[in-house]
Amino acid sequence: MIMKEIKREKRQKPLIVIASNRGPFSFQQEENGSFTVRRGSGGLVTALGSLAERYQVLWVAAAMSDEDRRWAQSNEEKIQHVEGIYLRLIQPDPDAYELYYNQIANPLLWFIQHQLWDIPRSPTINAETWQAWRDGYAAVNRQFAETIADSVKHTDHPVIVFPQDYHLYLVSGYLRQMLGDRVQIQPFLHIPWPGPDAWRILPKGMRDAMLYSLLGSDRIGFQTQRDAFNFVQTCRFYLPDAHSLGSRNSINYAGRKIEAKAYPISVDVEQLESLVEEPEVRLLRSQVLNNTGDRKLILRVDRVEPSKNILRSLVAYRALLENHPEHHDRVQMLALLVPSRMEVYEYQNYLREIMAEAGMINAEFSDELWEPVRVVVGENYHRAVAALQLYDVLMVNPLADGMNLVAKEGVLVNQRDGVLLLSEDAGAFYELGEHALIVPPFDIYSTMEAIHEALNMSEDERHRRAEALRELVRRSGVRRWFQHQVEDAMQALR
Ligand code: GDG
């Protein structure tokens, strides 16, 4: 019924299918049984907002909570129209989902792609890993593909499917088997794609399945050229029948040409520029200001995540206070940390180490008026945006990061001509690096020197750099990011 509706409506327009682990909405059930919808904050939701007027959009995602599941079960129709988007939630078997999410995607793939393994000790691939791969990762990916195939089977529109990120590497292959060439398949990977060496950790059976599946796509979107290039090299290195004929940006496989292309993600410029005017953000801004006083603010905003390299920035800050006592009582470091994967031992432990290091810095350097570093753990996006307006130095020093949106948000909303300290291993480096101070993520000495340089930078230079950065972000934007991907897929449909 709903598919017939999709069919009648906007007849000539392509149907865009987004597939992602987490969907754009969450549901809450009220006492009277009805559901209220809460819109997620991800960039893709925003990007689609404007596209939904021009295209039909179907979003397939996994139900995240019992209420999401109840919402999905309460509807006779499998696909519902919610805020301009058609939505279909899959309900994986909880055991399969656990294996897919907590055994393969988050520990194994995330750790390989951010190169976080301490390889003399881990990982150990054992029978459980293989079972998690088959009964978890592959099974849930197949369920996504089956759901997409079922949702589009009656439409005569051109269909473009955009599977998102490392949770769904096997969707392209399954979909190609199920639907043949009648769909365009174009995954986008939000996280880094490392070179061939990093992938030796993944056993050949899993690696081949993942790479061959991705080669079932028409083109694959990455954050940077570097990721796209690494993907091409990985395929050439491991797959004897994948070639790169006269191009660094595509693979020829099974008579088809699969493009690897960079689409750097960005932020919602309009939304952020209006958010900073909201009363709640203003209030939080004055709280941050009260706390910092007239000291210079060195800020970082991250999930508690080892790849963000929070600990080394604290160590570098300690080195600054040791080597440059002129900054005592003139600076404050503020780390706004969003809890993430707190059930995982490595993440808990990482947070403990951060708190201990911050505590030691305060123990050593504070006086009755000055608290050298504050670490605030909790979720508050408005507070993050408020603080980003006030930094003198923004510390973005990840070991590996697909893009890092904090860097882009920061330079857009900052009001103090603050200086961006940016790791050369953040995707954002390729767009913003020219006007930032570059910090090599492992090098604490250079990081300390960069903080010192930023704190001493002339107003003119700060202004020049900050203006250039702001303009770069203003000219991009998340709508354009997605529009480029849609245009490329449309081009191929013609
Ligand atoms: C992955 C990739 C890639 C901050 N405080 C809160 C909060 N934030 C916002 C930030 C920013 C977002 O969360 C974090 O985005 P990042 O890009 O910095 O990092 P990841 O979460 O690792 O994102 C990354 C991104 O995907 C997009 O492709 O750039 O490389 O790793 O917008 O301002 N959000 C909420 N509460 C807070 O307290 N909800």
Side-chain angles (χ1 to χ4, degrees), residues 41 110 190-191 223 265 301 303 308 338 378-381 384 401-406 409:
S41 56
W110 177 277
H190 292 251
I191 67 175
Q223 299 276 24
I265 198 167
V301 177
R303 287 187 296 107
K308 303 287 182 186
V338 183
E379 187 163 341
N380 188 340
Y381 178 61
D401 215 335
M403 177 54 65
N404 195 293
L405 290 177
V406 172
E409 291 162 338

Side-chain angles (χ1 to χ4, degrees), residues 277-450:
E277 301 303 332
E278 284 185 15
E280 196 186 332
V281 176
R282 283 166 186 261
L283 181 69
L284 289 159
R285 194 161 64 219
S286 57
Q287 279 177 13
V288 174
L289 210 48
N290 268 345
N291 207 278
T292 319
D294 51 13
R295 298 181 188 93
K296 289 198 167 166
L297 177 64
I298 303 170
L299 177 70
R300 64 174 311 139
V301 177
D302 321 77
R303 287 187 296 107
V304 178
E305 161 60 58
S307 62
K308 303 287 182 186
N309 209 16
I310 302 161
L311 199 50
R312 281 198 189 80
S313 71
L314 286 166
V315 177
Y317 181 59
R318 168 203 281 282
L320 177 88
L321 299 180
E322 280 164 0
N323 291 295
H324 296 285
E326 68 272 24
H327 295 303
H328 287 197
D329 202 18
R330 301 229 165 91
V331 292
Q332 185 181 42
M333 183 159 178
L334 174 63
L336 299 180
L337 304 183
V338 183
S340 168
R341 304 177 192 164
M342 280 294 115
E343 64 290 350
V344 179
Y345 171 77
E346 283 85 354
Y347 285 68
Q348 277 175 24
N349 206 36
Y350 192 61
L351 179 57
R352 270 190 213 110
E353 289 177 85
I354 291 166
M355 299 314 283
E357 182 60 31
M360 292 304 285
I361 293 172
N362 283 338
E364 199 168 327
F365 296 100
S366 68
D367 58 33
E368 62 265 42
L369 292 175
W370 178 45
E371 187 189 17
V373 51
R374 286 188 73 205
V375 179
V376 180
V377 182
E379 187 163 341
N380 188 340
Y381 178 61
H382 287 152
R383 181 176 54 207
V385 171
L388 285 168
Q389 291 181 271
L390 297 173
Y391 69 79
D392 294 284
V393 179
L394 179 63
M395 173 67 79
V396 180
N397 66 327
L399 302 168
D401 215 335
M403 177 54 65
N404 195 293
L405 290 177
V406 172
K408 292 191 169 181
E409 291 162 338
V411 302
L412 183 69
V413 303
N414 183 260
Q415 296 176 331
R416 283 193 178 173
D417 287 342
V419 182
L420 174 65
L421 263 49
L422 186 59
S423 158
E424 54 203 356
D425 292 306
F429 167 78
Y430 294 91
E431 290 162 278
L432 307 184
E434 190 187 341
H435 307 288
L437 294 185
I438 302 310
V439 287
F442 299 95
D443 179 352
I444 289 181
Y445 174 75
S446 301
T447 306
M448 172 195 79
E449 287 294 301

Side-chain angles (χ1 to χ4, degrees), residues 435-474:
H435 307 288
L437 294 185
I438 302 310
V439 287
F442 299 95
D443 179 352
I444 289 181
Y445 174 75
S446 301
T447 306
M448 172 195 79
E449 287 294 301
I451 304 175
H452 182 59
E453 185 183 344
L455 291 171
N456 289 332
M457 194 179 278
S458 71
E459 274 179 33
D460 271 1
E461 186 173 354
R462 285 170 62 126
H463 182 68
R464 189 177 52 70
R465 286 173 183 263
E467 270 297 296
L469 287 167
R470 197 161 23 246
E471 262 323 290
L472 278 171
V473 175
R474 254 200 207 123

Side-chain angles (χ1 to χ4, degrees), residues 53 71 73 147 168 174 194 202 237 242 292 331 337 375 404 407 419:
E53 293 153 18
W71 176 84
Q73 286 155 10
T147 305
L168 300 182
Y174 288 138
L202 201 62
F237 189 82
T292 319
V331 292
L337 304 183
V375 179
N404 195 293
V419 182

